[in-house]
Amino acid sequence: MMRRRSSGTVSDSSIHPISRIHPRALVALGASFAWVGCGGGEASSDEPAGAAGAAADAPPPFETTEVADGVYQFRWVGHNALFVVTSEGVFAFDPISVEAAASYAEEIRRVAPGAELAAIVYSHNHADHATGAEVLREAFGADVPIYAHRNADAPLREAANPDLPPPTATFDETMTLAGGEIELHYLGRSHGDDIAVGFLPAHSLAFAVDFVSRDRFGYQDLASLHFPDMFGAIEGLLEIPFETIVFGHGPPGDRAAVERQLTYYRDLDAAVREAVRAGLSEDETATTVLMEDYSHWDRYDDWRDLNVRGMHRKLLAAGAAEEGEGEHGEGGEEGEGEHDEGREGRGEHDREGLEGRGEHGREGGEHGGEGGHDEGDEGEESGEYLGRDETWDHVRRGARLVLSFDPGRNVFAGTVENTTAQTLCAVRVEVHLSSGTELGPTPRTDLTPGTSTTVELGTAGEAFERWTAHPEVSSCST
C-alpha cells in the first residue's frame, strides 16, 4: 500500500518555514506555485488544467509517497522525482528545481534519518527535471556523484548552469548502481537522446520520464518527441521486467499503462498518416482525427488537437504522403509502428549481467539499431557522434555522405553520392547535434548512378560539441 505525506497548503504549518529553505530557492518560490499557468512543463494529472483552479483546490506544493519498500516518489507541483534507500545510501533521481530540491533534501532526511546521499541521477538534461543538484549536494556533501547518460554531458557543460552541474560519470547503454540494486537503461531517442530509465529489480519498479505516462496525451504538439524512434524506446521499456512504474508527471502506473501509451501513439500515427495521404491539410486533419477512443484520457481537451497537428507536421517532414511504406520500417505493417528484426540486438532483458545487450547493447555500432529499426529504415541515425572538427564519411543504402562542419560559416557542408548501379530516390540528409537540435532534412533529390549533390545545413550559431548525420533513401515509386 502506498503511504503519502503532503506538505499541506502554502500557509499550512507543515510546510517547512521559509527561513529553512535554501537561499537560492527563495528567488523562485513564488513562481513554483503559479507554475501551471506559465508553461514551464507538463502539469500533474491531479491539477486543474487551467488557471481557474482556486488555490484552495490546488494540490499541495509537494508530496512524498512510498511506492515500494524503501522507494519513494517525491512530487513537486506537477513534476515527480524518485529516491531509493539502498544498502549504500540514498539514490535521488531528478532534483527538479532549486526550490524543489530544498524540500526534497528535507524529505530524504525525514524518511531516512542519518542516511547518506550516495548519488544523484539525472533522467535527462532538461532543466525542469535536473536543476537543483547543487542544493542536494550542499545538504549532504559536495562530493556526491551525479550519474547520467553520456549524451546529457555535453549540453550541460555547454549550458554552464551552476544549479545544473554536468554529471561526474556517464553510461552508454546500461549501468548498475548500489551493487545491482539499481539499473540505468538507455533505450534510444524518445524525448531527447539522453533519457536514462531507472529500474529496481528487487521491486520490479521502473522510473521513466517524459516519453511515457499513464493515460495522458503527449505534451502539446509533440515537438520534443522523436518519431519513429519513440516506438522503439517504448518497446524497449516493455522489455524491462517492471510491474510498477513511476512517471515524470502524473500518477504511477503498471505495464498495461505503458502498453496503452504505445497503442495510442501507434493509433495517432496511423490516423494522421491516413489523413496526410488523403491530402488533408493540418487544419482539416485536426478537425477530423478526433481520437475518440482516448477521450477519457487526461488532457484530451487541451492537447488532442495539438497532438494531431504535431504528428501531421512530423509525417509531412518525413514525406509520409509520398512514401508507400510505413514510418516504422520496411516490413512492418503500415502505421502500426511495428519494428522488424532490427530489434533482435536488444534481446531478452537478462537478469544476470544483461548479456543480451552485449557491450553496447545493440548490434551495429554504439547505438546501432537505435529505436529498433533496420538499417534501411528512414529516420534512423547511426548513433556514432563526431567532434566538431571531424569529417563524416559513411555509406548507407548506397548513399555515401561526406560532411564536415565549417565554423567560419556555421554550416555543415559536403556531398552525398550514389555509389550503386541503380537510381537512389528521394535522397535527403539530416544532422543531429549533441544539444538535441536536428538540422534538416535537405530537400529530396533523385541520384542516378555515380552522381552526387552538394549538402549544406546551417546551425544558426547554435552551440554544440558533437554531432551525427545520416542520408535517407526512399523506395522509388513505380
Side-chain angles (χ1 to χ4, degrees):
M1 178 180 294
M2 296 182 183
R3 297 192 291 274
R4 292 180 172 85
R5 185 258 191 177
S6 299
S7 68
T9 62
V10 175
S11 59
D12 194 301
S13 60
S14 63
I15 283 280
H16 302 302
I18 293 294
S19 62
R20 293 178 60 192
I21 295 178
H22 189 278
R24 285 205 299 273
L26 297 176
V27 177
L29 182 63
S32 70
F33 299 126
W35 171 89
V36 175
C38 72
E42 298 186 44
S44 165
S45 296
D46 299 326
E47 295 177 55
D57 298 326
F62 72 83
E63 180 181 55
T64 297
T65 303
E66 186 171 24
V67 293
D69 187 23
V71 184
Y72 300 85
Q73 173 186 291
F74 172 78
R75 178 189 60 77
W76 176 266
V77 190
H79 288 64
N80 297 326
L82 188 82
F83 65 97
V84 187
V85 182
T86 76
S87 59
E88 295 183 3
V90 175
F91 285 74
F93 287 77
D94 283 357
I96 301 178
S97 67
V98 167
E99 62 274 19
S103 293
Y104 196 0
E106 293 192 359
E107 284 297 275
I108 292 172
R109 290 199 185 281
R110 181 185 66 81
V111 167
E116 297 295 326
L117 183 62
I120 297 166
V121 182
Y122 293 155
S123 66
H124 60 306
N125 76 79
H126 292 176
D128 67 319
H129 289 274
T131 305
E134 282 305 305
V135 175
L136 289 181
R137 283 175 138 187
E138 290 173 18
F140 289 94
D143 59 345
V144 173
I146 300 173
Y147 298 107
H149 184 261
R150 177 175 58 85
N151 291 343
D153 184 68
L156 294 181
R157 293 189 184 280
E158 291 166 8
N161 180 352
D163 293 322
L164 210 173
T168 57
T170 63
F171 72 101
D172 288 329
E173 293 297 328
T174 60
M175 172 183 273
T176 58
L177 303 171
E181 294 181 54
I182 299 172
E183 297 174 2
L184 303 181
H185 296 264
Y186 176 67
L187 305 175
R189 291 199 310 166
S190 54
H191 173 75
D193 67 346
D194 65 336
I195 298 287
V197 172
F199 177 58
L200 314 178
H203 303 287
S204 299
L205 185 144
F207 179 58
V209 176
D210 279 356
F211 72 104
V212 285
S213 57
R214 193 181 87 180
D215 298 342
R216 182 193 189 109
F217 275 69
Y219 183 59
Q220 296 194 357
D221 65 353
L222 311 179
S224 65
L225 301 183
H226 297 277
F227 287 93
D229 305 68
M230 277 281 295
F231 296 102
I234 299 175
E235 289 172 349
L237 176 60
L238 287 167
E239 290 178 6
I240 298 173
F242 70 89
E243 297 299 330
T244 302
I245 183 165
V246 174
F247 302 109
H249 302 274
D254 54 13
R255 297 187 66 81
V258 176
E259 290 166 354
R260 291 193 298 270
Q261 182 85 81
L262 179 59
T263 300
Y264 165 69
Y265 282 131
R266 286 175 173 168
D267 288 349
L268 176 67
D269 176 280
V272 176
R273 184 183 300 278
E274 182 178 353
V276 169
R277 288 179 175 164
L280 298 188
S281 68
E282 180 180 318
D283 288 341
E284 291 169 330
T285 302
T287 58
T288 57
V289 176
L290 301 180
M291 305 303 293
E292 291 172 319
D293 288 347
Y294 301 90
S295 60
H296 61 290
W297 274 28
D298 191 27
R299 297 311 178 105
Y300 177 82
D301 292 334
D302 302 313
W303 295 344
R304 190 277 313 168
D305 176 275
L306 292 171
N307 275 204
V308 172
R309 290 178 180 277
M311 185 62 76
H312 189 277
R313 294 171 201 149
K314 289 176 184 293
L315 292 179
L316 276 187
E322 302 157 13
E323 297 166 16
E325 61 196 45
E327 180 83 359
H328 314 303
E330 301 166 357
E333 278 191 36
E334 179 180 301
E336 290 220 334
E338 293 294 337
H339 299 272
D340 53 27
E341 58 259 37
R343 292 199 53 80
E344 67 187 6
R346 238 193 253 273
E348 283 293 318
H349 181 86
D350 193 314
R351 292 268 35 85
E352 297 182 12
L354 306 169
E355 292 97 343
R357 292 182 184 265
E359 181 179 356
H360 293 294
R362 306 177 186 109
E363 297 174 1
E366 187 173 343
H367 298 152
E370 181 176 298
H373 298 277
D374 181 79
E375 185 183 5
D377 294 345
E378 293 202 62
E380 176 200 350
E381 59 184 290
S382 71
E384 177 184 355
Y385 275 74
L386 302 182
R388 289 168 60 93
D389 58 349
E390 294 182 273
T391 297
W392 184 274
D393 188 349
H394 292 292
V395 177
R396 183 173 184 234
R397 299 188 69 184
R400 181 187 179 189
L401 176 62
V402 181
L403 199 65
S404 60
F405 177 60
D406 180 349
R409 296 191 298 144
N410 283 320
V411 164
F412 285 92
T415 60
V416 59
E417 176 189 3
N418 182 355
T419 65
T420 74
Q422 293 83 35
T423 296
L424 299 182
C425 295
V427 179
R428 61 182 186 175
V429 173
E430 287 185 357
V431 170
H432 301 266
L433 305 181
S434 58
S435 62
T437 296
E438 298 180 15
L439 307 180
T442 57
R444 295 176 181 271
T445 184
D446 294 343
L447 294 178
T448 56
T451 63
S452 65
T453 187
T454 59
V455 175
E456 283 203 357
L457 288 169
T459 68
E462 178 161 350
F464 68 97
E465 288 187 0
R466 295 172 297 114
W467 60 282
T468 187
H470 64 272
E472 298 176 353
V473 181
S474 295
S475 300
C476 296
S477 58
T478 56

